[in-house]
Amino acid sequence: MLKRLLHKLEDPKRPLLGPNLKALKFWGLLLPENFIMRQIYILLHLSVILFTASECVDVWFVKSNITLLLNNLKITMLATVSVCKISTFLFWQNDWKKIIGYVIEADIVQRKTNDIIKQTIIKKFTKYCRKITYMYWCLMYTTVIIVMVQPIMKYFSSPVYRENVRNGNETYLQVVSSWVPFDKNTITGYLIASVIQSYGAIYGGGWITSYDTNAMVIMVFFRGELELLRRDCANMFGTESSPVTEQVSKERLKDCHRRYVALVKHARLFDSCLSPIMLLYMFVCSVMLCVTAYQITIETNPMQRFLSAEYLVFGVAQLFIYCWHSNDVLYASQDLMLGPYESTWWMHRISYRKNIFILIAQFRKRIVFTAGPFTELTVPTFINILKGAYSYYTLLSQSQS
Protein backbone atom coordinates (compact mmCIF):
# COMPACT_ATOMS: atom_id res chain seq x y z
CA MET A 1 0.00 0.00 0.00
CA LEU A 2 2.75 2.43 0.99
CA LYS A 3 4.87 1.53 -2.04
CA ARG A 4 1.90 2.10 -4.32
CA LEU A 5 1.29 5.51 -2.76
CA LEU A 6 4.94 6.53 -3.09
CA HIS A 7 4.98 5.30 -6.67
CA LYS A 8 2.07 7.63 -7.51
CA LEU A 9 4.11 10.55 -6.24
CA GLU A 10 6.81 9.89 -8.84
CA ASP A 11 6.87 11.71 -12.17
CA PRO A 12 8.94 10.19 -15.03
CA LYS A 13 9.21 13.63 -16.66
CA ARG A 14 10.60 15.11 -13.44
CA PRO A 15 12.65 12.30 -11.89
CA LEU A 16 14.25 14.42 -9.16
CA LEU A 17 11.51 16.86 -8.15
CA GLY A 18 8.45 14.68 -8.82
CA PRO A 19 7.05 14.35 -5.25
CA ASN A 20 8.06 17.90 -4.36
CA LEU A 21 6.27 19.46 -7.32
CA LYS A 22 3.14 17.44 -6.60
CA ALA A 23 3.20 18.71 -3.01
CA LEU A 24 3.64 22.31 -4.22
CA LYS A 25 0.65 21.91 -6.54
CA PHE A 26 -1.50 20.10 -3.97
CA TRP A 27 -1.05 22.84 -1.36
CA GLY A 28 -1.44 25.60 -3.95
CA LEU A 29 2.04 27.10 -3.89
CA LEU A 30 2.33 26.50 -7.62
CA LEU A 31 -0.95 28.07 -8.63
CA PRO A 32 -2.92 26.14 -11.30
CA GLU A 33 -3.74 27.61 -14.71
CA ASN A 34 -7.48 26.97 -14.22
CA PHE A 35 -9.03 30.28 -13.15
CA ILE A 36 -11.54 28.82 -10.67
CA MET A 37 -9.01 26.57 -8.95
CA ARG A 38 -6.55 29.43 -8.87
CA GLN A 39 -9.03 31.67 -7.04
CA ILE A 40 -9.93 28.86 -4.62
CA TYR A 41 -6.29 28.38 -3.67
CA ILE A 42 -5.81 32.14 -3.25
CA LEU A 43 -8.81 32.22 -0.89
CA LEU A 44 -7.38 29.28 1.08
CA HIS A 45 -4.06 31.08 1.39
CA LEU A 46 -5.77 34.27 2.54
CA SER A 47 -7.80 32.35 5.12
CA VAL A 48 -4.65 30.90 6.72
CA ILE A 49 -2.94 34.31 6.61
CA LEU A 50 -5.92 35.79 8.46
CA PHE A 51 -5.79 32.92 10.94
CA THR A 52 -2.10 33.68 11.58
CA ALA A 53 -3.05 37.33 12.15
CA SER A 54 -5.56 36.15 14.76
CA GLU A 55 -2.74 34.31 16.54
CA CYS A 56 -0.80 37.57 16.74
CA VAL A 57 -3.88 39.39 18.09
CA ASP A 58 -4.27 36.76 20.81
CA VAL A 59 -0.84 37.68 22.20
CA TRP A 60 -2.42 40.84 23.63
CA PHE A 61 -5.07 38.87 25.52
CA VAL A 62 -2.70 36.30 27.05
CA LYS A 63 0.25 38.59 27.80
CA SER A 64 -0.39 38.44 31.57
CA ASN A 65 -0.10 34.62 31.68
CA ILE A 66 3.48 33.51 30.96
CA THR A 67 2.47 29.91 30.17
CA LEU A 68 -0.18 30.90 27.64
CA LEU A 69 2.11 33.57 26.21
CA LEU A 70 4.94 31.10 25.62
CA ASN A 71 2.53 28.62 24.03
CA ASN A 72 1.32 31.34 21.69
CA LEU A 73 4.78 32.63 20.79
CA LYS A 74 6.32 29.32 19.79
CA ILE A 75 3.46 28.59 17.37
CA THR A 76 2.76 32.12 16.16
CA MET A 77 6.37 32.92 15.27
CA LEU A 78 6.70 29.75 13.22
CA ALA A 79 3.36 30.48 11.54
CA THR A 80 4.55 34.01 10.72
CA VAL A 81 7.62 32.61 8.99
CA SER A 82 5.39 30.23 7.04
CA VAL A 83 3.22 33.13 5.88
CA CYS A 84 6.34 34.97 4.71
CA LYS A 85 7.54 31.84 2.90
CA ILE A 86 4.30 31.39 1.02
CA SER A 87 3.82 35.10 0.31
CA THR A 88 7.27 35.42 -1.24
CA PHE A 89 6.81 32.16 -3.14
CA LEU A 90 3.58 33.45 -4.67
CA PHE A 91 4.95 36.94 -5.40
CA TRP A 92 8.16 35.51 -6.88
CA GLN A 93 6.38 32.66 -8.63
CA ASN A 94 8.10 33.32 -11.96
CA ASP A 95 11.56 33.21 -10.37
CA TRP A 96 10.76 29.95 -8.61
CA LYS A 97 9.47 28.48 -11.87
CA LYS A 98 12.74 29.46 -13.57
CA ILE A 99 14.72 27.72 -10.82
CA ILE A 100 12.55 24.60 -10.92
CA GLY A 101 12.65 24.52 -14.74
CA TYR A 102 16.45 24.74 -14.71
CA VAL A 103 16.73 21.93 -12.14
CA ILE A 104 14.41 19.66 -14.14
CA GLU A 105 16.17 20.32 -17.45
CA ALA A 106 19.72 20.00 -16.11
CA ASP A 107 18.83 16.84 -14.19
CA ILE A 108 17.28 15.15 -17.24
CA VAL A 109 20.35 16.00 -19.37
CA GLN A 110 22.69 14.42 -16.83
CA ARG A 111 20.57 11.27 -16.55
CA LYS A 112 21.19 10.53 -20.23
CA THR A 113 24.88 9.84 -19.54
CA ASN A 114 26.50 6.47 -20.20
CA ASP A 115 29.09 7.01 -17.48
CA ILE A 116 28.49 4.35 -14.82
CA ILE A 117 30.01 6.44 -12.05
CA LYS A 118 27.85 9.46 -12.91
CA GLN A 119 24.78 7.25 -13.00
CA THR A 120 25.68 5.97 -9.52
CA ILE A 121 26.10 9.53 -8.23
CA ILE A 122 22.73 10.57 -9.69
CA LYS A 123 20.95 7.55 -8.19
CA LYS A 124 22.56 8.24 -4.82
CA PHE A 125 21.41 11.84 -4.74
CA THR A 126 17.92 10.95 -5.99
CA LYS A 127 17.52 8.33 -3.29
CA TYR A 128 18.77 10.80 -0.70
CA CYS A 129 16.25 13.41 -1.88
CA ARG A 130 13.42 10.92 -1.46
CA LYS A 131 14.56 10.00 2.03
CA ILE A 132 14.86 13.56 3.24
CA THR A 133 11.54 14.54 1.64
CA TYR A 134 9.53 11.70 3.16
CA MET A 135 11.27 11.89 6.54
CA TYR A 136 10.61 15.64 6.72
CA TRP A 137 6.98 15.10 5.79
CA CYS A 138 6.66 12.52 8.57
CA LEU A 139 8.33 14.80 11.12
CA MET A 140 6.15 17.76 10.17
CA TYR A 141 2.84 15.91 10.21
CA THR A 142 3.79 14.17 13.44
CA THR A 143 4.30 17.64 14.90
CA VAL A 144 0.93 18.79 13.52
CA ILE A 145 -0.84 15.75 14.98
CA ILE A 146 0.83 16.32 18.34
CA VAL A 147 -0.24 19.97 18.33
CA MET A 148 -3.82 18.92 17.54
CA VAL A 149 -4.09 16.12 20.14
CA GLN A 150 -2.16 17.97 22.84
CA PRO A 151 -5.33 19.43 24.49
CA ILE A 152 -6.98 15.99 24.60
CA MET A 153 -3.83 14.33 25.93
CA LYS A 154 -3.47 16.92 28.69
CA TYR A 155 -7.13 16.62 29.65
CA PHE A 156 -6.97 12.83 30.08
CA SER A 157 -3.44 12.62 31.51
CA SER A 158 -3.68 15.37 34.13
CA PRO A 159 -6.32 14.97 36.88
CA VAL A 160 -5.36 18.36 38.33
CA TYR A 161 -5.98 20.06 34.99
CA ARG A 162 -9.38 18.32 34.60
CA GLU A 163 -10.43 19.43 38.05
CA ASN A 164 -9.27 23.01 37.46
CA VAL A 165 -11.20 23.17 34.18
CA ARG A 166 -14.37 21.88 35.86
CA ASN A 167 -14.00 24.40 38.69
CA GLY A 168 -13.32 27.26 36.28
CA ASN A 169 -9.80 27.86 37.59
CA GLU A 170 -8.27 27.05 34.20
CA THR A 171 -9.42 27.48 30.63
CA TYR A 172 -9.42 24.78 27.97
CA LEU A 173 -6.04 24.25 26.36
CA GLN A 174 -6.32 25.37 22.74
CA VAL A 175 -4.95 23.55 19.70
CA VAL A 176 -3.29 26.81 18.66
CA SER A 177 -3.63 30.00 20.63
CA SER A 178 -5.69 32.36 18.46
CA TRP A 179 -8.34 35.05 18.80
CA VAL A 180 -11.93 34.35 17.74
CA PRO A 181 -14.92 36.73 17.79
CA PHE A 182 -16.85 34.59 20.29
CA ASP A 183 -16.38 33.06 23.74
CA LYS A 184 -14.10 30.04 23.34
CA ASN A 185 -14.36 29.07 27.01
CA THR A 186 -17.78 27.47 26.46
CA ILE A 187 -18.00 23.94 25.08
CA THR A 188 -19.55 25.07 21.79
CA GLY A 189 -17.17 27.97 21.32
CA TYR A 190 -14.17 25.80 22.21
CA LEU A 191 -15.13 23.08 19.70
CA ILE A 192 -15.65 25.61 16.89
CA ALA A 193 -12.35 27.32 17.73
CA SER A 194 -10.60 23.92 17.78
CA VAL A 195 -11.89 23.10 14.27
CA ILE A 196 -10.64 26.47 12.96
CA GLN A 197 -7.30 26.04 14.70
CA SER A 198 -6.90 22.47 13.44
CA TYR A 199 -7.55 23.65 9.89
CA GLY A 200 -4.89 26.34 10.27
CA ALA A 201 -2.40 23.81 11.71
CA ILE A 202 -2.99 21.26 8.93
CA TYR A 203 -2.81 23.75 6.07
CA GLY A 204 0.16 25.52 7.66
CA GLY A 205 1.91 22.16 7.93
CA GLY A 206 1.29 21.59 4.24
CA TRP A 207 2.81 24.96 3.48
CA ILE A 208 5.96 24.21 5.47
CA THR A 209 6.51 20.69 4.10
CA SER A 210 6.02 21.63 0.44
CA TYR A 211 8.18 24.77 0.61
CA ASP A 212 10.99 23.37 2.75
CA THR A 213 11.41 20.02 1.00
CA ASN A 214 11.40 21.72 -2.39
CA ALA A 215 14.14 24.12 -1.25
CA MET A 216 16.15 21.30 0.34
CA VAL A 217 16.02 19.10 -2.76
CA ILE A 218 17.13 22.03 -4.91
CA MET A 219 20.10 22.48 -2.58
CA VAL A 220 20.93 18.79 -2.97
CA PHE A 221 20.69 19.22 -6.73
CA PHE A 222 23.26 22.03 -6.68
CA ARG A 223 25.52 19.82 -4.58
CA GLY A 224 25.14 16.92 -7.02
CA GLU A 225 25.55 19.12 -10.11
CA LEU A 226 28.84 20.48 -8.74
CA GLU A 227 30.10 16.94 -8.14
CA LEU A 228 29.07 15.83 -11.64
CA LEU A 229 30.67 18.93 -13.14
CA ARG A 230 33.92 18.19 -11.33
CA ARG A 231 33.94 14.68 -12.79
CA ASP A 232 33.24 16.01 -16.30
CA CYS A 233 36.13 18.45 -15.92
CA ALA A 234 38.40 15.58 -14.90
CA ASN A 235 37.33 13.68 -18.07
CA MET A 236 37.67 16.74 -20.29
CA PHE A 237 40.58 15.22 -22.25
CA GLY A 238 39.72 11.57 -21.78
CA THR A 239 42.21 9.37 -19.98
CA GLU A 240 45.95 9.00 -20.37
CA SER A 241 45.49 5.66 -22.12
CA SER A 242 42.49 6.79 -24.16
CA PRO A 243 42.74 10.52 -24.97
CA VAL A 244 40.10 12.32 -27.02
CA THR A 245 40.71 14.60 -29.98
CA GLU A 246 41.36 18.29 -29.50
CA GLN A 247 38.01 19.16 -31.04
CA VAL A 248 36.16 16.92 -28.60
CA SER A 249 38.10 18.34 -25.64
CA LYS A 250 37.22 21.88 -26.75
CA GLU A 251 33.53 20.99 -26.86
CA ARG A 252 33.77 19.44 -23.41
CA LEU A 253 35.50 22.53 -22.04
CA LYS A 254 32.81 24.77 -23.53
CA ASP A 255 30.10 22.53 -22.06
CA CYS A 256 31.69 22.70 -18.58
CA HIS A 257 31.88 26.48 -18.84
CA ARG A 258 28.26 26.76 -20.01
CA ARG A 259 26.97 24.50 -17.25
CA TYR A 260 28.89 26.39 -14.58
CA VAL A 261 27.58 29.77 -15.75
CA ALA A 262 23.99 28.44 -15.70
CA LEU A 263 24.54 26.87 -12.27
CA VAL A 264 25.92 30.09 -10.74
CA LYS A 265 23.12 32.15 -12.30
CA HIS A 266 20.34 29.98 -10.90
CA ALA A 267 22.10 29.48 -7.55
CA ARG A 268 22.13 33.26 -7.11
CA LEU A 269 18.48 33.48 -8.13
CA PHE A 270 17.63 30.73 -5.65
CA ASP A 271 19.56 32.51 -2.91
CA SER A 272 17.75 35.79 -3.63
CA CYS A 273 14.42 34.00 -3.09
CA LEU A 274 15.50 32.08 0.01
CA SER A 275 17.81 34.52 1.79
CA PRO A 276 15.20 36.95 3.23
CA ILE A 277 13.18 34.03 4.61
CA MET A 278 16.21 32.45 6.26
CA LEU A 279 17.17 35.76 7.87
CA LEU A 280 13.73 35.97 9.49
CA TYR A 281 13.74 32.29 10.38
CA MET A 282 17.10 32.48 12.15
CA PHE A 283 15.76 35.15 14.49
CA VAL A 284 12.47 33.31 15.01
CA CYS A 285 14.20 29.97 15.54
CA SER A 286 16.38 31.38 18.33
CA VAL A 287 13.31 32.59 20.23
CA MET A 288 11.25 29.49 19.44
CA LEU A 289 13.96 27.08 20.64
CA CYS A 290 14.46 29.15 23.79
CA VAL A 291 10.73 29.18 24.59
CA THR A 292 10.28 25.45 23.94
CA ALA A 293 13.33 24.51 26.05
CA TYR A 294 12.01 26.65 28.90
CA GLN A 295 8.60 24.98 28.69
CA ILE A 296 10.23 21.55 28.98
CA THR A 297 11.97 22.55 32.22
CA ILE A 298 8.89 24.06 33.91
CA GLU A 299 6.39 21.43 32.74
CA THR A 300 5.61 18.79 35.37
CA ASN A 301 3.43 16.49 33.24
CA PRO A 302 5.62 13.82 31.52
CA MET A 303 3.34 13.69 28.48
CA GLN A 304 3.50 17.45 28.03
CA ARG A 305 7.28 17.32 28.33
CA PHE A 306 7.43 14.71 25.60
CA LEU A 307 5.20 16.75 23.30
CA SER A 308 7.27 19.89 23.86
CA ALA A 309 10.48 17.92 23.28
CA GLU A 310 9.16 16.68 19.92
CA TYR A 311 8.36 20.26 18.91
CA LEU A 312 11.90 21.25 19.92
CA VAL A 313 13.35 18.46 17.77
CA PHE A 314 11.31 19.71 14.80
CA GLY A 315 12.54 23.28 15.25
CA VAL A 316 16.19 22.20 15.48
CA ALA A 317 15.89 19.78 12.54
CA GLN A 318 14.26 22.38 10.29
CA LEU A 319 17.12 24.86 10.70
CA PHE A 320 19.84 22.20 10.72
CA ILE A 321 18.75 20.72 7.39
CA TYR A 322 19.02 24.10 5.67
CA CYS A 323 22.44 24.84 7.17
CA TRP A 324 23.75 21.33 6.47
CA HIS A 325 22.84 21.31 2.78
CA SER A 326 24.05 24.85 2.23
CA ASN A 327 27.32 23.80 3.89
CA ASP A 328 27.53 20.87 1.45
CA VAL A 329 27.10 23.19 -1.52
CA LEU A 330 29.83 25.49 -0.20
CA TYR A 331 32.42 22.73 0.10
CA ALA A 332 31.43 21.18 -3.24
CA SER A 333 31.94 24.56 -4.93
CA GLN A 334 35.37 24.88 -3.32
CA ASP A 335 36.35 21.40 -4.52
CA LEU A 336 35.14 22.07 -8.07
CA MET A 337 38.39 23.75 -9.13
CA LEU A 338 40.19 20.44 -8.49
CA GLY A 339 38.36 18.91 -11.49
CA PRO A 340 40.56 20.41 -14.24
CA TYR A 341 43.70 19.52 -12.23
CA GLU A 342 42.53 15.90 -12.16
CA SER A 343 42.43 15.81 -15.97
CA THR A 344 45.33 15.03 -18.31
CA TRP A 345 46.01 18.72 -18.88
CA TRP A 346 49.77 18.19 -19.12
CA MET A 347 49.34 16.33 -22.41
CA HIS A 348 48.24 19.52 -24.25
CA ARG A 349 50.22 22.47 -25.54
CA ILE A 350 50.70 25.62 -23.48
CA SER A 351 48.37 27.80 -25.57
CA TYR A 352 45.52 25.40 -24.84
CA ARG A 353 46.28 25.33 -21.13
CA LYS A 354 45.37 29.02 -20.92
CA ASN A 355 41.72 28.12 -21.49
CA ILE A 356 41.96 25.60 -18.65
CA PHE A 357 43.45 28.25 -16.37
CA ILE A 358 40.58 30.64 -17.15
CA LEU A 359 38.08 27.89 -16.32
CA ILE A 360 39.85 27.17 -13.02
CA ALA A 361 39.78 30.89 -12.18
CA GLN A 362 36.00 30.88 -12.68
CA PHE A 363 35.63 27.85 -10.44
CA ARG A 364 37.21 29.73 -7.55
CA LYS A 365 33.93 31.53 -6.86
CA ARG A 366 32.25 30.36 -3.67
CA ILE A 367 28.66 29.23 -4.00
CA VAL A 368 26.93 29.48 -0.65
CA PHE A 369 23.44 30.41 0.42
CA THR A 370 22.88 33.22 2.88
CA ALA A 371 20.52 34.55 5.52
CA GLY A 372 20.18 38.12 4.39
CA PRO A 373 23.33 40.22 4.04
CA PHE A 374 24.57 39.27 7.50
CA THR A 375 25.54 35.61 7.57
CA GLU A 376 25.93 32.44 5.53
CA LEU A 377 23.90 29.25 5.95
CA THR A 378 26.57 26.91 7.28
CA VAL A 379 26.99 24.47 10.15
CA PRO A 380 29.02 27.01 12.23
CA THR A 381 26.11 29.45 11.83
CA PHE A 382 23.70 26.76 13.08
CA ILE A 383 25.90 26.21 16.15
CA ASN A 384 25.97 29.95 16.86
CA ILE A 385 22.15 30.06 16.70
CA LEU A 386 21.93 27.22 19.23
CA LYS A 387 24.33 29.12 21.49
CA GLY A 388 22.17 32.23 21.15
CA ALA A 389 19.01 30.27 21.92
CA TYR A 390 20.67 28.81 25.03
CA SER A 391 21.63 32.31 26.16
CA TYR A 392 18.03 33.49 25.78
CA TYR A 393 16.86 30.40 27.66
CA THR A 394 19.24 31.13 30.55
CA LEU A 395 18.08 34.75 30.70
CA LEU A 396 14.41 33.70 30.67
CA SER A 397 14.96 31.09 33.40
CA GLN A 398 16.77 33.55 35.66
CA SER A 399 14.16 36.26 35.15
CA GLN A 400 11.35 33.87 36.12
CA SER A 401 13.19 32.49 39.17
Side-chain angles (χ1 to χ4, degrees):
M1 184 67 179
L2 181 60
K3 287 184 177 180
R4 188 176 299 175
L5 176 62
L6 296 180
H7 180 71
K8 287 184 178 180
L9 293 174
E10 298 294 335
D11 187 348
K13 296 181 180 180
R14 301 168 183 83
L16 182 67
L17 285 173
N20 307 95
L21 290 181
K22 288 187 176 181
L24 288 173
K25 291 177 180 177
F26 180 80
W27 294 107
L29 274 69
L30 283 176
L31 294 173
E33 296 297 330
N34 183 279
F35 178 79
I36 296 177
M37 290 301 301
R38 191 182 187 90
Q39 299 307 311
I40 289 175
Y41 272 120
I42 291 175
L43 288 175
L44 290 174
H45 294 325
L46 289 175
S47 67
V48 180
I49 291 173
L50 289 174
F51 173 75
T52 304
S54 73
E55 293 180 76
C56 298
V57 170
D58 199 58
V59 172
W60 174 260
F61 295 98
V62 300
K63 63 182 186 298
S64 58
N65 188 317
I66 185 64
T67 302
L68 295 178
L69 180 62
L70 293 179
N71 272 329
N72 181 294
L73 284 177
K74 75 175 185 180
I75 301 291
T76 301
M77 297 186 78
L78 183 60
T80 303
V81 175
S82 300
V83 168
C84 293
K85 285 179 180 179
I86 278 33
S87 299
T88 56
F89 195 96
L90 295 175
F91 283 127
W92 300 334
Q93 185 105 146
N94 291 333
D95 290 337
W96 277 104
K97 285 182 177 179
K98 288 178 184 177
I99 297 166
I100 292 171
Y102 161 72
V103 172
I104 293 172
E105 183 180 354
D107 176 61
I108 290 175
V109 170
Q110 292 305 308
R111 288 176 187 272
K112 295 177 181 178
T113 182
N114 294 321
D115 189 329
I116 302 299
I117 296 179
K118 286 181 67 176
Q119 289 178 353
T120 303
I121 293 172
I122 292 170
K123 288 179 181 179
K124 180 185 73 173
F125 280 112
T126 303
K127 186 176 181 180
Y128 176 77
C129 288
R130 293 296 181 272
K131 283 183 179 179
I132 194 171
T133 296
Y134 297 143
M135 288 176 65
Y136 191 85
W137 287 2
C138 291
L139 179 62
M140 179 67 240
Y141 290 120
T142 299
T143 305
V144 170
I145 291 172
I146 285 176
V147 169
M148 291 172 59
V149 303
Q150 189 172 355
I152 300 174
M153 295 296 294
K154 185 173 183 178
Y155 187 84
F156 286 105
S157 64
S158 175
V160 176
Y161 170 71
R162 286 200 303 271
E163 189 64 28
N164 287 338
V165 169
R166 289 169 185 169
N167 296 335
N169 296 327
E170 279 192 69
T171 58
Y172 291 106
L173 180 64
Q174 300 178 69
V175 174
V176 178
S177 180
S178 64
W179 175 83
V180 288
F182 50 81
D183 186 5
K184 55 186 176 184
N185 292 320
T186 64
I187 292 294
T188 304
Y190 176 72
L191 291 176
I192 295 174
S194 296
V195 171
I196 297 172
Q197 292 163 0
S198 298
Y199 161 74
I202 293 171
Y203 209 90
W207 273 2
I208 295 173
T209 52
S210 55
Y211 183 97
D212 285 349
T213 53
N214 177 66
M216 292 169 190
V217 170
I218 289 176
M219 283 184 175
V220 174
F221 163 80
F222 283 123
R223 164 73 175 87
E225 181 69 4
L226 287 166
E227 187 170 325
L228 294 173
L229 185 56
R230 175 181 173 179
R231 175 162 178 79
D232 287 338
C233 289
N235 293 330
M236 198 183 308
F237 310 110
T239 61
E240 190 173 355
S241 59
S242 180
V244 298
T245 64
E246 188 170 305
Q247 182 62 32
V248 173
S249 63
K250 282 184 178 180
E251 291 299 323
R252 290 184 178 181
L253 188 147
K254 290 179 182 178
D255 182 64
C256 290
H257 168 73
R258 178 190 57 77
R259 285 171 57 193
Y260 183 72
V261 170
L263 188 149
V264 171
K265 173 186 173 182
H266 288 90
R268 288 176 177 173
L269 181 61
F270 175 74
D271 186 50
S272 69
C273 294
L274 188 67
S275 182
I277 301 301
M278 295 313 301
L279 176 62
L280 175 63
Y281 184 67
M282 282 192 169
F283 168 73
V284 167
C285 190
S286 299
V287 178
M288 186 182 70
L289 296 180
C290 158
V291 168
T292 309
Y294 177 74
Q295 281 187 308
I296 294 174
T297 58
I298 65 173
E299 185 60 60
T300 57
N301 189 297
M303 179 60 67
Q304 290 297 115
R305 279 192 173 186
F306 169 76
L307 298 178
S308 297
E310 196 281 336
Y311 193 86
L312 180 65
V313 169
F314 169 72
V316 173
Q318 190 177 22
L319 181 61
F320 175 74
I321 291 173
Y322 273 108
C323 292
W324 178 267
H325 291 107
S326 178
N327 200 76
D328 268 357
V329 174
L330 171 61
Y331 281 99
S333 69
Q334 292 176 340
D335 291 341
L336 179 60
M337 62 179 294
L338 299 177
Y341 287 116
E342 294 167 346
S343 67
T344 57
W345 58 269
W346 67 87
M347 297 177 62
H348 295 265
R349 61 181 185 271
I350 294 178
S351 60
Y352 192 72
R353 294 178 194 173
K354 293 180 180 178
N355 294 328
I356 304 173
F357 180 76
I358 294 173
L359 186 66
I360 292 172
Q362 284 187 314
F363 287 171
R364 286 178 180 171
K365 296 177 183 177
R366 296 166 75 250
I367 301 176
V368 62
F369 305 116
T370 59
F374 303 109
T375 188
E376 297 175 344
L377 281 178
T378 58
V379 172
T381 301
F382 170 75
I383 295 172
N384 289 334
I385 292 173
L386 291 186
K387 289 180 179 178
Y390 181 74
S391 299
Y392 300 148
Y393 160 75
T394 304
L395 182 63
L396 182 61
S397 299
Q398 292 176 349
S399 66
Q400 291 302 311
S401 62

